[in-house]
Amino acid sequence: MTQEMIVLKTMNSIPVSAYKSNGFIGSYQELVRREMIPYQHRVMRDEAGTEKSGVFSNFINAGKALRGEEHGDFYGMVFQDSDAGKWLEAVAYSLAATPDETLEKQADELIDLIAAAQDADGYLDTRFTISDRDKRWTNLLEAHELYCAGHLIEAACAYFEATGKRRLLDVMLRCVGHIYRRFIKDGKPGFPGHPEIELALMKMYRITSDSRCLELAEHFINIRGQDPDFYKKEKAAYNWTVWGNDASDYNYQQSSQPVRRQTEAVGHAVRAVYLYTGMADLASETGDKELFKACRRLWDSIVNRKLYITGGIGSTVHGEAFSVDYDLPPDTAYSETCAAIGLMFFAYRMLENEVSGEYGDVMEQAFYNTILAGIQLDGRGFFYVNPLEAVPGISGAAPTHRHTLIKRPGWYACACCPPNAARLISSIGKYAYAENGDTVYCHLYASGDVTFESGARLCCKTDYPYDFTVSYKVSGIKTLSLRIPHWSKKTEFFINGEPVSPVIKNGYAYIPVSDEDEIRLVLDGTPRFVFPSERIHSVSAKTALCMGPLVYCFEGADNSDVISSCVDTKAEISQAVPDKKLPNGVIRLAVKGYIREHQERLYSCEPPRMKHCDLIAIPYSLWGNRGENAMRVWMDRA
Amino acid sequence: MTQEMIVLKTMNSIPVSAYKSNGFIGSYQELVRREMIPYQHRVMRDEAGTEKSGVFSNFINAGKALRGEEHGDFYGMVFQDSDAGKWLEAVAYSLAATPDETLEKQADELIDLIAAAQDADGYLDTRFTISDRDKRWTNLLEAHELYCAGHLIEAACAYFEATGKRRLLDVMLRCVGHIYRRFIKDGKPGFPGHPEIELALMKMYRITSDSRCLELAEHFINIRGQDPDFYKKEKAAYNWTVWGNDASDYNYQQSSQPVRRQTEAVGHAVRAVYLYTGMADLASETGDKELFKACRRLWDSIVNRKLYITGGIGSTVHGEAFSVDYDLPPDTAYSETCAAIGLMFFAYRMLENEVSGEYGDVMEQAFYNTILAGIQLDGRGFFYVNPLEAVPGISGAAPTHRHTLIKRPGWYACACCPPNAARLISSIGKYAYAENGDTVYCHLYASGDVTFESGARLCCKTDYPYDFTVSYKVSGIKTLSLRIPHWSKKTEFFINGEPVSPVIKNGYAYIPVSDEDEIRLVLDGTPRFVFPSERIHSVSAKTALCMGPLVYCFEGADNSDVISSCVDTKAEISQAVPDKKLPNGVIRLAVKGYIREHQERLYSCEPPRMKHCDLIAIPYSLWGNRGENAMRVWMDRA
């Protein structure tokens, strides 16, 4: 990457309301609206049939405590308030696309409870308002006050954007004022144990132009790691703990050194990518090239050495964290859904710094594989952990595999991933489209209608990711810029049926267009085998099957024994008949391979006898929807 | 196995002094004598240049405490006394083979210290004699009092056998008397958290015929798991803990149900096989067929579903424990050296119940691979953990691989494996030879001279495990019974040069012999590829190279990149030129294979380009002696 490529704020994102989805994206947005948002509302209200969460009751009790009324105890995890933020954010995005009076009323009611739980000085966190007020801001390492504030700030921005209502925005501006006084005016040392508020403050700054937001975001980003021993000193000064986190594990919360000097993605993966997102956001907003370079190094560390083929990150259960380079085991993968979501955030913010196809490629990789794998087809079960291999009897059972469940559990009372997925999916338009003057960027192939702030309009039609023709009708646009994914070996462009050869730069095609033009993009989505670097020792000599952005997997539901089978990468890949248990339009792939005969002895001198067989693969994101069985992404090769 | 095969005490073991080693076994016994025993003596005495252990000083301080003198604190782990036991046992076996006045004096001095640390009531454990006397016997789950007593009982038996000196034997008989009064006469409930005393008591019973030993062993074996909640009740009654062990983790210490009903090898692997050894011992001594059947089920559980090809057991670092069936990962293997030693104990005791070749096969598998891998060639470094794959940058570094070191550390102050290996190696004659009337059994091919109690004699000459001809000269023997290992596809027998075809039953050849006969056994040690069951998902489609009892591995010292390489199992296996950095006589094997070109991208659509290459393998037990590099047992197949 050359210096010249660094451009301050390459493009402007669109508001969520600008994109009306249909097709593949539309069906997932519908699932969020129909199943996930109502379900989480019931969970947060502790309704019958759900696991107790205490989210609503915490806000109610905090309000009572502030008014001096009798009240109940705080319930749940120290970061329980953040669930309210994530739900409100998903609701806001959903309302932006599809107005819904009942839902808006439910959101307004929650916002009233939140407002009533805010202290006179602007402080807002139910855990330390209901009781333990003396513990406010004493344990930044563990107490998640800044993290919860961040999620509520994001919710406030989203709700204001969607409904024009300022109530939550004003509440959170007062909260920001409180934090600003503490950390800037009063000079309280420290930075968030769990980054999140940085990116939230950047969102709020863009909406409100309140300079305190920018200043605070910059402060938290720049002070991080300046004093690596900060948490040790903090711990020495207080005498309470949430989980007994190790204050000297600098890597866990990315505080071993100032962020501008960091070169390797380490520690808790969600914390890491939330931090990097805030950094990239600040870099594009302020033109801070040094900070962008740090982001770029951390990006390279992830995508070149620590990224699963499924777009998952954070390979180890120990600390839900990044491991060392090339340690990407398939069967013990952690690969948290939230971490893949955070990687999408980071990728998108990088794109705002630099127009390069790799960012969109990674957004797709994470979205179509790990993020969607997190959600059961009926919207009622969720994977937090996304292994690339499941073995009945071992996955979820062996001590090293307890975290790799073979079936999606329901929504937990303490849930990070499901509401995170809900807000991501319902705001996907923001990641798909952007504008810069009279140029419109299409980062993702998202079927639907888009109305830009400039008045330009675009109508995208596609059955992507199962079909690779994408057509656009445009008006008010001079240049249509389309990302060309790295896997498309031969890409064709047509304007009103006539082939054209646009300029392609850094993975984007720039196509001059006129009103009412029909632009057709034909990607090469031929199914392909993918081979891992030999440095990933755990999958040496294996192969994965992919089609377009989709990673495929081989599951017991379609095959007699995937662990005993190997694929012939030289034979033809064809489409198999659809499975009625999977949604309409899902393409199953068929490949040739061999299956070995059962060997009774643990170890035998006889080479296993192999028989020809047909093997069938489905998209990785859909595994585990047809009963509990074995699943493998990385297959042995014949 | 049919009922008829169960025979009460199939054979009698020989005393250690009966076998004078030479050849391969001799060189390891020499290493123990020359390096390991003196080194551990220095460690136990806290001599300069060693890590502090406190073993001697604990006994000294306990003696002072008993005499009411001023004294220092207890130092080290709660089971620190056991190191003295294991060292004395190794010394005894060494003295039995090779008298050494200085060493015997050192042992006698330690025995004096131990005797002086015994309380008037027979209690002997420095941890609760130096202080906390009120805590005696209050925490059987963690406090290791019975475990330490067991090791000192074993030492007492060995030292009496080797030297005829009764001092330690009498001390430990008094200690047994104390335990007997507590647990039998006073009816104190409970059983050892860490089994060990059961097998020790059986040894002592055989030497002293003291029926209390048998009764106590039987008691601890039979009461185990009768009340699975015992440890929970115990924990509720005391208010101290050593490590905070979970009293409800019944499997960890094999107490979920009575041992006669147990069917699956579970929990801490060393605890498990020590327990099973005691059970098999009791079964053969008392003809308890029900107990033997339980042992057989547990044996099957191990060897059919939970055994590494290297003879290692306990695949998971979590609790140093057995995992679920078929969970035998190569790179994160725990496979503790002590557990392989314990498996040899168990196998040998099974052989005393039932003459069957599989027990000797497993003894060899554990001994020649995992146990010897535990010891550095210079006797100054030791692996506790024995992975089947090492990857620089990941092994010892990734959070899931912290325990799989790539280099043997020196002797720790708190060391279980090195002294355990020392006592095993110096007593290997016991495992190699046995007698039953005028039949002599050869379970292992151990070069050297044997004198049996009957007066019979045998001289074995062989370069095994690098040569597969074993010759015996005999006198006073009517039947020579030789184990025929499962891997020998064609085995030849000669008497005085003439081929013979002896009766072969359950893996043993029974050869009628006369005085001065020279019997020659020629095993088929042709190198072979071995293939794992398809149920071991972590090594599906891989292969290992073996020769005789030796598992081979491919190491970076001999190959350019073992992780990038795959072997051609159809091509010829030949001998490579010896490596001067390895001991004389070690055979390196050469196989044909392919190595892939380096792939820069993490994931690529281009199939990796493969080049022909020669690959060289060395015995697994010798890996890690030529610098830190990659190592692989299970290789990808071309």
Side-chain angles (χ1 to χ4, degrees):
Chain A
M1 193 201 52
T2 61
Q3 188 65 26
E4 288 66 45
M5 287 168 64
I6 300 175
V7 180
L8 171 58
K9 202 71 192 304
T10 56
M11 59 193 79
N12 295 312
S13 60
I14 60 166
V16 168
S17 57
Y19 168 63
K20 308 289 182 202
S21 65
N22 56 41
F24 185 89
I25 300 289
S27 68
Y28 271 97
Q29 291 198 336
E30 175 65 20
L31 188 68
V32 168
R33 198 157 36 231
R34 202 183 62 229
E35 290 289 340
M36 293 170 67
I37 288 176
Y39 191 83
Q40 194 186 2
H41 191 246
R42 292 197 295 277
V43 168
M44 291 195 304
R45 291 165 58 93
D46 297 335
E47 289 188 12
T50 65
E51 200 184 320
K52 186 175 176 186
S53 77
V55 175
F56 268 62
S57 67
N58 285 339
F59 285 108
I60 292 166
N61 285 319
K64 287 181 179 172
L66 288 171
R67 294 189 300 274
E69 297 167 15
E70 202 171 316
H71 59 82
D73 292 338
F74 176 83
Y75 184 87
M77 304 292 268
V78 72
F79 49 76
Q80 209 75 347
D81 290 358
S82 65
D83 274 5
K86 284 192 250 181
W87 182 78
L88 280 170
E89 199 183 337
V91 167
Y93 299 144
S94 182
L95 290 176
T98 313
D100 178 331
E101 266 184 44
T102 313
L103 185 58
E104 189 167 334
K105 192 158 163 278
Q106 288 173 345
D108 286 336
E109 282 165 2
L110 175 55
I111 289 168
D112 285 343
L113 295 181
I114 294 171
Q118 184 169 41
D119 208 336
D121 62 358
Y123 182 87
L124 179 52
D125 188 296
T126 67
R127 169 67 185 81
F128 304 101
T129 300
I130 293 173
S131 63
D132 297 322
R133 295 174 53 117
D134 55 316
K135 289 182 181 161
R136 285 178 174 194
W137 306 123
T138 56
N139 183 348
L140 296 183
L141 178 62
E142 299 177 305
H144 281 69
E145 289 155 289
L146 293 168
Y147 171 85
C148 289
H151 274 299
L152 288 169
I153 289 168
E154 286 199 88
C157 296
Y159 205 68
F160 172 71
E161 273 203 304
T163 64
K165 293 181 182 171
R166 287 194 62 96
R167 184 154 167 73
L168 187 58
L169 192 67
D170 290 335
V171 165
M172 294 318 296
L173 276 169
R174 278 197 295 280
C175 180
V176 166
H178 172 86
I179 295 168
Y180 185 85
R181 283 192 300 279
R182 279 280 179 157
F183 288 87
I184 304 287
K185 288 217 160 159
D186 303 347
K188 176 180 166 46
F191 42 90
H194 194 316
E196 146 65 24
I197 197 168
E198 300 85 346
L199 72 90
L201 287 164
M202 291 306 299
K203 277 192 184 173
M204 195 174 234
Y205 171 66
R206 285 183 177 154
I207 282 179
T208 63
S209 301
D210 187 319
S211 65
R212 294 173 308 173
C213 296
L214 182 64
E215 202 182 330
L216 255 180
E218 206 157 9
H219 171 75
F220 284 137
I221 285 169
N222 286 335
I223 201 175
R224 181 168 222 93
Q226 294 287 356
D227 175 7
D229 288 333
F230 166 72
Y231 288 121
K232 279 208 268 189
K233 293 172 190 164
E234 188 194 53
K235 189 166 187 172
Y238 62 76
N239 59 357
W240 66 282
T241 179
V242 178
W243 299 290
N245 270 21
D246 178 3
S248 357
D249 187 357
Y250 308 132
N251 280 343
Y252 179 72
Q253 65 274 343
Q254 300 79 38
S255 65
S256 65
Q257 54 184 328
V259 298
R260 288 159 198 275
R261 291 216 295 272
Q262 295 183 16
T263 55
E264 186 184 351
V266 295
H268 188 266
V270 175
R271 292 174 199 233
V273 283
Y274 280 16
L275 170 65
Y276 307 157
T277 299
M279 288 163 60
D281 228 350
L282 181 65
S284 76
E285 194 62 37
T286 61
D288 185 333
K289 290 181 183 172
E290 183 194 41
L291 190 58
F292 174 67
K293 279 189 189 171
C295 291
R296 182 70 220 196
R297 285 194 304 268
L298 293 163
W299 174 265
D300 287 341
S301 167
I302 294 174
V303 300
N304 295 337
R305 295 180 291 280
K306 300 192 177 196
L307 180 66
Y308 279 108
I309 189 174
T310 51
I313 54 171
S315 65
T316 179
V317 64
H318 299 278
E320 310 182 309
F322 285 108
S323 182
V324 296
D325 287 349
Y326 306 108
D327 183 31
L328 296 162
D331 57 338
T332 59
Y334 198 74
S335 183
E336 188 181 340
T337 308
C338 282
I341 292 170
L343 180 61
M344 245 186 110
F345 296 162
F346 181 30
Y348 183 67
R349 300 319 195 283
M350 289 299 280
L351 203 45
E352 288 188 335
N353 281 279
E354 174 189 26
V355 181
S356 178
E358 65 181 302
Y359 301 119
D361 284 359
V362 169
M363 285 204 290
E364 273 201 337
Q365 197 177 355
F367 180 72
Y368 285 108
N369 300 297
T370 300
I371 297 172
L372 292 187
I375 304 168
Q376 199 160 282
L377 278 174
D378 63 6
R380 294 176 183 182
F382 304 90
F383 278 139
Y384 295 61
V385 165
N386 297 282
L388 282 75
E389 180 162 316
V391 184
I394 290 179
S395 299
T400 44
H401 293 64
R402 294 253 161 81
H403 58 291
T404 58
L405 303 183
I406 219 161
K407 183 178 185 301
R408 291 171 183 83
W411 199 305
Y412 296 150
C414 163
C416 56
C417 300
N420 219 354
R423 68 179 182 136
L424 187 274
I425 289 169
S426 51
S427 64
I428 198 80
K430 271 187 180 295
Y431 301 84
Y433 297 100
E435 61 184 321
N436 186 4
D438 46 20
T439 297
V440 153
Y441 286 94
C442 304
H443 306 309
L444 307 177
Y445 312 107
S447 200
D449 298 298
V450 193
T451 311
F452 295 90
E453 300 222 319
S454 63
R457 300 168 67 92
L458 173 151
C459 170
C460 171
K461 282 190 182 165
T462 182
D463 287 326
Y464 194 86
Y466 293 109
D467 188 68
F468 298 94
T469 296
V470 190
S471 75
Y472 299 92
K473 277 270 205 181
V474 296
S475 74
I477 297 172
K478 285 224 170 132
T479 306
L480 185 66
S481 179
L482 307 175
R483 179 179 59 89
I484 309 306
H486 73 279
W487 43 259
S488 180
K489 288 195 175 169
K490 178 167 168 275
T491 304
E492 295 168 300
F493 305 87
F494 302 88
I495 298 187
N496 304 319
E498 292 298 313
V500 293
S501 297
V503 172
I504 292 178
K505 195 180 155 193
N506 291 331
Y508 278 78
Y510 291 83
I511 307 169
V513 293
S514 310
D515 282 3
E516 301 311 310
D517 272 354
E518 194 249 12
I519 299 93
R520 191 145 42 88
L521 168 71
V522 183
L523 298 167
D524 179 6
T526 311
R528 65 197 187 278
F529 285 106
V530 174
F531 304 89
S533 161
E534 79 284 359
R535 288 171 170 157
I536 310 178
H537 81 282
S538 52
V539 292
S540 63
K542 296 194 190 247
T543 190
L545 180 61
C546 297
M547 184 179 77
L550 300 173
V551 175
Y552 273 68
C553 71
F554 294 79
E555 206 184 4
D558 307 292
N559 302 283
S560 64
D561 182 4
V562 297
I563 307 297
S564 295
S565 302
C566 56
V567 299
D568 180 352
T569 58
K570 290 185 181 120
E572 197 196 353
I573 307 168
S574 59
Q575 289 195 10
V577 290
D579 179 355
K580 286 179 185 155
K581 289 187 197 134
L582 297 175
N584 280 340
V586 168
I587 290 177
R588 297 198 302 168
L589 294 175
V591 299
K592 298 287 177 191
Y594 298 86
I595 184 161
R596 56 181 284 188
E597 279 184 10
H598 171 57
Q599 172 183 316
E600 192 52 42
R601 291 183 68 109
L602 257 192
Y603 308 109
S604 166
C605 301
E606 295 302 317
R609 263 186 272 182
M610 309 296 288
K611 284 189 302 187
H612 277 281
C613 70
D614 292 309
L615 294 163
I616 288 181
I618 64 161
Y620 169 74
S621 63
L622 300 179
W623 85 277
N625 277 292
R626 295 170 298 166
E628 298 182 29
N629 52 204
M631 182 277 293
R632 204 168 228 192
V633 167
W634 289 114
M635 291 290 284
D636 289 315
R637 281 156 63 194
Chain B
M1 192 203 52
T2 60
Q3 187 65 25
E4 288 68 44
M5 288 167 62
I6 302 175
V7 180
L8 172 59
K9 202 70 192 305
T10 57
M11 60 192 78
N12 295 310
S13 60
I14 60 166
V16 168
S17 58
Y19 168 63
K20 308 289 181 200
S21 65
N22 56 40
F24 185 89
I25 300 289
S27 68
Y28 272 97
Q29 290 197 338
E30 175 66 21
L31 188 69
V32 169
R33 199 157 36 232
R34 203 184 62 230
E35 290 290 340
M36 293 169 67
I37 288 175
Y39 191 82
Q40 193 187 2
H41 191 245
R42 292 197 295 277
V43 169
M44 290 195 304
R45 290 165 58 93
D46 297 335
E47 288 188 10
T50 64
E51 199 184 319
K52 186 176 175 186
S53 77
V55 176
F56 269 61
S57 67
N58 285 339
F59 285 108
I60 293 167
N61 284 319
K64 286 181 179 171
L66 288 171
R67 295 189 299 273
E69 297 168 15
E70 203 172 316
H71 60 83
D73 292 337
F74 176 84
Y75 184 87
M77 304 293 268
V78 72
F79 50 76
Q80 210 74 345
D81 289 359
S82 66
D83 274 5
K86 285 192 251 182
W87 181 79
L88 280 170
E89 200 184 336
V91 167
Y93 299 143
S94 182
L95 291 176
T98 313
D100 178 332
E101 264 184 45
T102 313
L103 185 58
E104 189 166 335
K105 194 159 160 278
Q106 288 172 344
D108 287 336
E109 283 165 2
L110 175 55
I111 289 167
D112 285 342
L113 297 180
I114 294 170
Q118 184 168 41
D119 209 336
D121 63 359
Y123 183 87
L124 179 51
D125 189 296
T126 67
R127 169 66 185 82
F128 305 99
T129 300
I130 293 173
S131 63
D132 298 321
R133 296 174 52 116
D134 55 318
K135 289 183 180 162
R136 285 178 175 195
W137 306 123
T138 59
N139 183 347
L140 296 183
L141 178 62
E142 298 176 305
H144 281 70
E145 289 155 290
L146 293 168
Y147 171 85
C148 288
H151 274 299
L152 288 169
I153 289 168
E154 285 199 89
C157 296
Y159 204 69
F160 172 71
E161 273 203 305
T163 64
K165 293 181 180 170
R166 288 194 60 96
R167 185 156 166 72
L168 187 58
L169 192 67
D170 290 336
V171 165
M172 294 318 297
L173 276 169
R174 278 197 297 279
C175 180
V176 166
H178 172 86
I179 295 167
Y180 185 86
R181 282 192 301 279
R182 278 279 179 157
F183 288 86
I184 305 286
K185 287 216 161 159
D186 302 347
K188 176 181 165 47
F191 42 89
H194 194 315
E196 145 66 23
I197 198 168
E198 299 86 345
L199 72 89
L201 287 164
M202 290 307 299
K203 277 192 184 173
M204 196 175 233
Y205 171 65
R206 284 179 178 155
I207 283 179
T208 64
S209 301
D210 188 319
S211 64
R212 295 173 308 173
C213 296
L214 181 64
E215 201 182 332
L216 255 180
E218 207 157 8
H219 171 75
F220 284 136
I221 286 170
N222 286 335
I223 201 175
R224 181 168 221 94
Q226 295 286 356
D227 176 7
D229 288 333
F230 166 71
Y231 287 121
K232 279 208 267 188
K233 294 173 189 164
E234 188 194 55
K235 189 165 187 175
Y238 62 75
N239 59 357
W240 66 282
T241 180
V242 178
W243 300 290
N245 270 21
D246 179 3
S248 355
D249 187 358
Y250 308 133
N251 280 344
Y252 179 72
Q253 64 274 342
Q254 299 79 39
S255 65
S256 65
Q257 55 185 327
V259 298
R260 288 160 199 273
R261 290 216 295 270
Q262 295 184 16
T263 55
E264 186 185 350
V266 295
H268 188 266
V270 175
R271 291 174 199 233
V273 283
Y274 279 16
L275 170 65
Y276 307 156
T277 300
M279 286 162 60
D281 228 351
L282 181 65
S284 76
E285 194 62 38
T286 62
D288 186 333
K289 291 180 183 174
E290 184 195 41
L291 189 59
F292 173 67
K293 280 189 188 171
C295 292
R296 182 70 219 196
R297 285 194 305 267
L298 293 163
W299 173 265
D300 288 341
S301 167
I302 294 174
V303 301
N304 296 335
R305 296 179 292 279
K306 302 194 176 196
L307 181 66
Y308 279 108
I309 190 174
T310 52
I313 54 171
S315 65
T316 180
V317 64
H318 299 278
E320 311 182 308
F322 285 108
S323 181
V324 295
D325 286 349
Y326 306 109
D327 183 31
L328 296 163
D331 57 339
T332 58
Y334 198 76
S335 182
E336 187 181 341
T337 308
C338 282
I341 292 169
L343 179 62
M344 243 184 113
F345 295 164
F346 181 31
Y348 183 68
R349 296 322 193 284
M350 289 299 279
L351 203 44
E352 289 188 334
N353 281 278
E354 174 189 28
V355 181
S356 177
E358 65 183 303
Y359 302 118
D361 284 359
V362 169
M363 286 203 291
E364 273 200 339
Q365 197 177 356
F367 180 72
Y368 284 108
N369 301 296
T370 299
I371 297 172
L372 293 186
I375 304 167
Q376 200 160 280
L377 278 173
D378 63 6
R380 293 175 184 183
F382 305 91
F383 278 138
Y384 295 62
V385 166
N386 297 283
L388 281 75
E389 180 162 316
V391 183
I394 290 180
S395 299
T400 44
H401 292 65
R402 293 254 160 81
H403 58 290
T404 58
L405 303 182
I406 219 160
K407 183 178 186 299
R408 292 172 184 79
W411 199 306
Y412 295 150
C414 163
C416 56
C417 299
N420 219 354
R423 70 181 180 133
L424 186 276
I425 289 168
S426 52
S427 64
I428 199 81
K430 270 187 181 293
Y431 301 84
Y433 297 100
E435 61 184 322
N436 185 3
D438 46 19
T439 297
V440 154
Y441 286 94
C442 304
H443 306 308
L444 306 178
Y445 313 106
S447 202
D449 298 297
V450 193
T451 311
F452 296 90
E453 300 222 317
S454 62
R457 300 170 67 92
L458 172 153
C459 169
C460 172
K461 282 192 180 161
T462 183
D463 287 326
Y464 194 85
Y466 293 109
D467 188 68
F468 299 93
T469 297
V470 190
S471 74
Y472 299 92
K473 277 270 204 180
V474 297
S475 75
I477 296 172
K478 284 221 171 134
T479 307
L480 185 65
S481 178
L482 307 175
R483 179 179 59 89
I484 310 306
H486 73 279
W487 44 258
S488 180
K489 288 195 176 170
K490 177 167 168 275
T491 303
E492 295 168 300
F493 305 87
F494 302 88
I495 298 185
N496 304 319
E498 291 299 312
V500 291
S501 297
V503 172
I504 292 178
K505 194 180 154 192
N506 292 330
Y508 278 78
Y510 292 83
I511 308 169
V513 293
S514 310
D515 281 5
E516 301 312 310
D517 273 355
E518 194 251 12
I519 299 95
R520 192 147 37 90
L521 168 70
V522 184
L523 298 168
D524 179 6
T526 311
R528 65 196 187 277
F529 286 106
V530 175
F531 304 88
S533 162
E534 78 283 359
R535 288 172 169 156
I536 310 178
H537 80 282
S538 52
V539 293
S540 62
K542 296 194 189 247
T543 189
L545 181 61
C546 297
M547 183 179 77
L550 299 173
V551 175
Y552 273 67
C553 70
F554 294 79
E555 206 184 5
D558 306 294
N559 301 284
S560 64
D561 182 4
V562 297
I563 307 297
S564 295
S565 301
C566 55
V567 299
D568 180 352
T569 57
K570 290 184 183 121
E572 197 196 354
I573 307 167
S574 59
Q575 288 196 11
V577 290
D579 179 355
K580 284 177 187 160
K581 290 187 197 135
L582 297 176
N584 280 340
V586 168
I587 291 178
R588 297 199 301 168
L589 295 175
V591 298
K592 297 289 177 190
Y594 297 86
I595 184 163
R596 55 181 285 189
E597 279 184 8
H598 171 56
Q599 172 182 317
E600 192 53 42
R601 293 183 65 111
L602 257 192
Y603 307 109
S604 165
C605 301
E606 295 302 318
R609 262 185 272 182
M610 309 297 289
K611 284 189 303 186
H612 277 281
C613 71
D614 293 309
L615 294 164
I616 288 181
I618 64 161
Y620 170 74
S621 63
L622 299 178
W623 85 277
N625 277 292
R626 295 169 298 166
E628 298 182 28
N629 52 201
M631 181 278 292
R632 204 167 228 194
V633 168
W634 289 115
M635 292 290 283
D636 289 315
R637 282 155 65 193

